[in-house]
Amino acid sequence: MTTKITESPRERVRRAFTEPGEFRTSPLYRALSRTVAGDDALLDLAAGGRPGQYPTFLFFGAVHHLLLTDADAREHPLAAYYPSLLPPGATARPAEEAGPALVDFCARHADALRAVIGTRLVQTNQVQRALGLRFGLAAIAAEIGDRPVHLIEVGTSAGLNLRFDRYGYRLGGRRYGDPDSPVQLVAELHGNGEVPDLDALPRLASVLGVDLHPVDVLDRDDRQWLRALVWPENQDQGLLLAAALDLVAGDPPPILAGDAIDVLPGLAASLPAGEPRVVYHSATRMHVPAERLDAFDAAIASLGDTGPLWWLSVEEAPDPDPREDTSRGGAALRLRGPDGASRDLAVVEGHLRWVETLPVPSPTG
């Protein structure tokens, strides 16, 4: 008889910190991940999140949150390694030397960190990802025609992406959207494929966000948590986030609190029969527990039970990757049409800092 070996929470978390490929733009988090992977006390602390929460994002978000919001914590030597905590023009200490400071900081503030890790969710609201939504809507505009669409975002956090039509964009040197908006999203353009007209968009019949625990753009603590989830080196993203929060606070989109698996089938029944709908999610499915992924996908697909559904996402890498040079990495901006066929519109950096167009749509079945 074969004995099944169950991986302990500590070892599961150790794997996540051993190969932290998500931190391409954060030398500090890459260096600190090695420290966490080799320290059992830190691993046990990081393992205290709710099921499905990605431990690296949650742990570093909790540490950053405490440094940003607690004056006593900010006096700790660890703060000197965080560019986000330093005055303009100051240089952070070398990331490779930060490990011992992290160990000491977590020992001193274990109870406060444990409280954040055990109650908060990874709800990044990278406003730059609104570009992925706008790109996808432009790509399906011709298919939808002049019919208005119902837009639903799953894992919407504070709903910043749902106000994509209030922002300005610059992709590959060309401008789109509102040139006077305080939120201007800039992305590099790569590849030889066609870029759809990002100003030729379907009309919106309604917008709605769905989130387990919606982030209130008017709540100071919620805003601080979103800021803590921005990596310390990415100060431009922090400024964009603040600008978007201020803009959206003037007209927050409606957000439905609940588990998408539970609420989406009912939402489908509430939409006008036969009217087009678009669902969007980005870096959301990765936080769904593995045993619930099939139910998550089925719930999204159920939005097509009462009308034609276009399903747009930024989650996994393209498989297979159709590009000749795959060294840049990236995730697929994937669109599944009402006929059930999927195609990759582009490959994008996870935070939509760049877009690489594809010469031929990549079928994914």
PDB file of all heavy atoms in Angstrom, residues 290-308:
ATOM      1  N   ALA A 290      -7.273  25.640  -5.117  1.00  0.00           N
ATOM      2  CA  ALA A 290      -7.234  24.703  -6.240  1.00  0.00           C
ATOM      3  C   ALA A 290      -8.503  23.870  -6.346  1.00  0.00           C
ATOM      4  O   ALA A 290      -8.996  23.614  -7.453  1.00  0.00           O
ATOM      5  CB  ALA A 290      -6.006  23.794  -6.102  1.00  0.00           C
ATOM      6  N   GLU A 291      -9.054  23.468  -5.204  1.00  0.00           N
ATOM      7  CA  GLU A 291     -10.230  22.603  -5.237  1.00  0.00           C
ATOM      8  C   GLU A 291     -11.495  23.355  -5.652  1.00  0.00           C
ATOM      9  O   GLU A 291     -12.535  22.742  -5.882  1.00  0.00           O
ATOM     10  CB  GLU A 291     -10.450  21.943  -3.871  1.00  0.00           C
ATOM     11  CG  GLU A 291     -10.811  22.891  -2.745  1.00  0.00           C
ATOM     12  CD  GLU A 291      -9.594  23.516  -2.057  1.00  0.00           C
ATOM     13  OE1 GLU A 291      -8.480  23.389  -2.606  1.00  0.00           O
ATOM     14  OE2 GLU A 291      -9.792  24.131  -0.992  1.00  0.00           O
ATOM     15  N   ARG A 292     -11.418  24.691  -5.787  1.00  0.00           N
ATOM     16  CA  ARG A 292     -12.583  25.482  -6.180  1.00  0.00           C
ATOM     17  C   ARG A 292     -12.427  26.107  -7.569  1.00  0.00           C
ATOM     18  O   ARG A 292     -13.303  26.861  -8.013  1.00  0.00           O
ATOM     19  CB  ARG A 292     -12.826  26.584  -5.140  1.00  0.00           C
ATOM     20  CG  ARG A 292     -13.293  26.041  -3.807  1.00  0.00           C
ATOM     21  CD  ARG A 292     -13.366  27.117  -2.724  1.00  0.00           C
ATOM     22  NE  ARG A 292     -14.328  28.171  -3.024  1.00  0.00           N
ATOM     23  CZ  ARG A 292     -15.635  28.082  -2.817  1.00  0.00           C
ATOM     24  NH1 ARG A 292     -16.150  26.945  -2.336  1.00  0.00           N
ATOM     25  NH2 ARG A 292     -16.445  29.094  -3.085  1.00  0.00           N
ATOM     26  N   LEU A 293     -11.343  25.811  -8.253  1.00  0.00           N
ATOM     27  CA  LEU A 293     -11.106  26.430  -9.556  1.00  0.00           C
ATOM     28  C   LEU A 293     -12.172  26.047 -10.581  1.00  0.00           C
ATOM     29  O   LEU A 293     -12.638  26.893 -11.354  1.00  0.00           O
ATOM     30  CB  LEU A 293      -9.713  26.051 -10.073  1.00  0.00           C
ATOM     31  CG  LEU A 293      -8.545  26.786  -9.421  1.00  0.00           C
ATOM     32  CD1 LEU A 293      -7.215  26.194  -9.879  1.00  0.00           C
ATOM     33  CD2 LEU A 293      -8.592  28.286  -9.745  1.00  0.00           C
ATOM     34  N   ASP A 294     -12.549  24.783 -10.615  1.00  0.00           N
ATOM     35  CA  ASP A 294     -13.568  24.366 -11.582  1.00  0.00           C
ATOM     36  C   ASP A 294     -14.892  25.083 -11.312  1.00  0.00           C
ATOM     37  O   ASP A 294     -15.580  25.515 -12.254  1.00  0.00           O
ATOM     38  CB  ASP A 294     -13.773  22.852 -11.518  1.00  0.00           C
ATOM     39  CG  ASP A 294     -12.608  22.078 -12.120  1.00  0.00           C
ATOM     40  OD1 ASP A 294     -11.780  22.700 -12.829  1.00  0.00           O
ATOM     41  OD2 ASP A 294     -12.514  20.860 -11.874  1.00  0.00           O
ATOM     42  N   ALA A 295     -15.241  25.241 -10.045  1.00  0.00           N
ATOM     43  CA  ALA A 295     -16.480  25.933  -9.699  1.00  0.00           C
ATOM     44  C   ALA A 295     -16.388  27.414 -10.051  1.00  0.00           C
ATOM     45  O   ALA A 295     -17.378  28.026 -10.480  1.00  0.00           O
ATOM     46  CB  ALA A 295     -16.778  25.752  -8.210  1.00  0.00           C
ATOM     47  N   PHE A 296     -15.197  27.999  -9.878  1.00  0.00           N
ATOM     48  CA  PHE A 296     -14.990  29.406 -10.238  1.00  0.00           C
ATOM     49  C   PHE A 296     -15.205  29.600 -11.735  1.00  0.00           C
ATOM     50  O   PHE A 296     -15.934  30.509 -12.170  1.00  0.00           O
ATOM     51  CB  PHE A 296     -13.575  29.819  -9.836  1.00  0.00           C
ATOM     52  CG  PHE A 296     -13.193  31.225 -10.214  1.00  0.00           C
ATOM     53  CD1 PHE A 296     -13.560  32.309  -9.429  1.00  0.00           C
ATOM     54  CD2 PHE A 296     -12.435  31.461 -11.356  1.00  0.00           C
ATOM     55  CE1 PHE A 296     -13.190  33.605  -9.785  1.00  0.00           C
ATOM     56  CE2 PHE A 296     -12.066  32.743 -11.723  1.00  0.00           C
ATOM     57  CZ  PHE A 296     -12.448  33.826 -10.923  1.00  0.00           C
ATOM     58  N   ASP A 297     -14.594  28.742 -12.535  1.00  0.00           N
ATOM     59  CA  ASP A 297     -14.738  28.850 -13.992  1.00  0.00           C
ATOM     60  C   ASP A 297     -16.185  28.635 -14.421  1.00  0.00           C
ATOM     61  O   ASP A 297     -16.699  29.332 -15.313  1.00  0.00           O
ATOM     62  CB  ASP A 297     -13.833  27.828 -14.687  1.00  0.00           C
ATOM     63  CG  ASP A 297     -12.346  28.127 -14.486  1.00  0.00           C
ATOM     64  OD1 ASP A 297     -12.012  29.277 -14.129  1.00  0.00           O
ATOM     65  OD2 ASP A 297     -11.534  27.212 -14.688  1.00  0.00           O
ATOM     66  N   ALA A 298     -16.852  27.676 -13.785  1.00  0.00           N
ATOM     67  CA  ALA A 298     -18.248  27.407 -14.138  1.00  0.00           C
ATOM     68  C   ALA A 298     -19.143  28.591 -13.785  1.00  0.00           C
ATOM     69  O   ALA A 298     -20.097  28.910 -14.518  1.00  0.00           O
ATOM     70  CB  ALA A 298     -18.733  26.140 -13.424  1.00  0.00           C
ATOM     71  N   ALA A 299     -18.842  29.259 -12.679  1.00  0.00           N
ATOM     72  CA  ALA A 299     -19.651  30.406 -12.275  1.00  0.00           C
ATOM     73  C   ALA A 299     -19.509  31.553 -13.275  1.00  0.00           C
ATOM     74  O   ALA A 299     -20.491  32.216 -13.619  1.00  0.00           O
ATOM     75  CB  ALA A 299     -19.247  30.867 -10.875  1.00  0.00           C
ATOM     76  N   ILE A 300     -18.291  31.775 -13.751  1.00  0.00           N
ATOM     77  CA  ILE A 300     -18.102  32.817 -14.755  1.00  0.00           C
ATOM     78  C   ILE A 300     -18.822  32.435 -16.045  1.00  0.00           C
ATOM     79  O   ILE A 300     -19.516  33.253 -16.659  1.00  0.00           O
ATOM     80  CB  ILE A 300     -16.603  33.072 -14.996  1.00  0.00           C
ATOM     81  CG1 ILE A 300     -15.986  33.726 -13.763  1.00  0.00           C
ATOM     82  CG2 ILE A 300     -16.391  33.938 -16.234  1.00  0.00           C
ATOM     83  CD1 ILE A 300     -14.544  34.082 -13.890  1.00  0.00           C
ATOM     84  N   ALA A 301     -18.660  31.192 -16.456  1.00  0.00           N
ATOM     85  CA  ALA A 301     -19.331  30.748 -17.678  1.00  0.00           C
ATOM     86  C   ALA A 301     -20.852  30.881 -17.573  1.00  0.00           C
ATOM     87  O   ALA A 301     -21.543  31.100 -18.574  1.00  0.00           O
ATOM     88  CB  ALA A 301     -18.953  29.297 -17.982  1.00  0.00           C
ATOM     89  N   SER A 302     -21.387  30.799 -16.353  1.00  0.00           N
ATOM     90  CA  SER A 302     -22.833  30.889 -16.171  1.00  0.00           C
ATOM     91  C   SER A 302     -23.378  32.266 -16.559  1.00  0.00           C
ATOM     92  O   SER A 302     -24.580  32.406 -16.817  1.00  0.00           O
ATOM     93  CB  SER A 302     -23.215  30.580 -14.717  1.00  0.00           C
ATOM     94  OG  SER A 302     -22.875  31.659 -13.851  1.00  0.00           O
ATOM     95  N   LEU A 303     -22.512  33.278 -16.606  1.00  0.00           N
ATOM     96  CA  LEU A 303     -22.969  34.596 -17.039  1.00  0.00           C
ATOM     97  C   LEU A 303     -23.448  34.566 -18.492  1.00  0.00           C
ATOM     98  O   LEU A 303     -24.160  35.469 -18.932  1.00  0.00           O
ATOM     99  CB  LEU A 303     -21.842  35.622 -16.882  1.00  0.00           C
ATOM    100  CG  LEU A 303     -21.469  35.996 -15.444  1.00  0.00           C
ATOM    101  CD1 LEU A 303     -20.188  36.819 -15.420  1.00  0.00           C
ATOM    102  CD2 LEU A 303     -22.608  36.763 -14.778  1.00  0.00           C
ATOM    103  N   GLY A 304     -23.032  33.544 -19.227  1.00  0.00           N
ATOM    104  CA  GLY A 304     -23.485  33.396 -20.603  1.00  0.00           C
ATOM    105  C   GLY A 304     -24.769  32.610 -20.748  1.00  0.00           C
ATOM    106  O   GLY A 304     -25.226  32.372 -21.875  1.00  0.00           O
ATOM    107  N   ASP A 305     -25.397  32.224 -19.634  1.00  0.00           N
ATOM    108  CA  ASP A 305     -26.629  31.434 -19.720  1.00  0.00           C
ATOM    109  C   ASP A 305     -27.800  32.251 -20.259  1.00  0.00           C
ATOM    110  O   ASP A 305     -28.727  31.686 -20.855  1.00  0.00           O
ATOM    111  CB  ASP A 305     -27.001  30.871 -18.344  1.00  0.00           C
ATOM    112  CG  ASP A 305     -26.043  29.786 -17.875  1.00  0.00           C
ATOM    113  OD1 ASP A 305     -25.253  29.291 -18.709  1.00  0.00           O
ATOM    114  OD2 ASP A 305     -26.084  29.450 -16.677  1.00  0.00           O
ATOM    115  N   THR A 306     -27.763  33.560 -20.037  1.00  0.00           N
ATOM    116  CA  THR A 306     -28.914  34.382 -20.419  1.00  0.00           C
ATOM    117  C   THR A 306     -28.590  35.410 -21.506  1.00  0.00           C
ATOM    118  O   THR A 306     -29.415  36.248 -21.833  1.00  0.00           O
ATOM    119  CB  THR A 306     -29.462  35.129 -19.179  1.00  0.00           C
ATOM    120  OG1 THR A 306     -28.413  35.944 -18.616  1.00  0.00           O
ATOM    121  CG2 THR A 306     -29.957  34.142 -18.137  1.00  0.00           C
ATOM    122  N   GLY A 307     -27.380  35.342 -22.036  1.00  0.00           N
ATOM    123  CA  GLY A 307     -26.994  36.279 -23.086  1.00  0.00           C
ATOM    124  C   GLY A 307     -25.565  36.019 -23.519  1.00  0.00           C
ATOM    125  O   GLY A 307     -24.813  35.321 -22.834  1.00  0.00           O
ATOM    126  N   PRO A 308     -25.155  36.570 -24.684  1.00  0.00           N
ATOM    127  CA  PRO A 308     -23.802  36.318 -25.192  1.00  0.00           C
ATOM    128  C   PRO A 308     -22.732  36.885 -24.260  1.00  0.00           C
ATOM    129  O   PRO A 308     -22.821  38.038 -23.819  1.00  0.00           O
ATOM    130  CB  PRO A 308     -23.798  37.029 -26.548  1.00  0.00           C
ATOM    131  CG  PRO A 308     -24.892  38.049 -26.452  1.00  0.00           C
ATOM    132  CD  PRO A 308     -25.934  37.464 -25.562  1.00  0.00           C
TER     133      PRO A 308
END
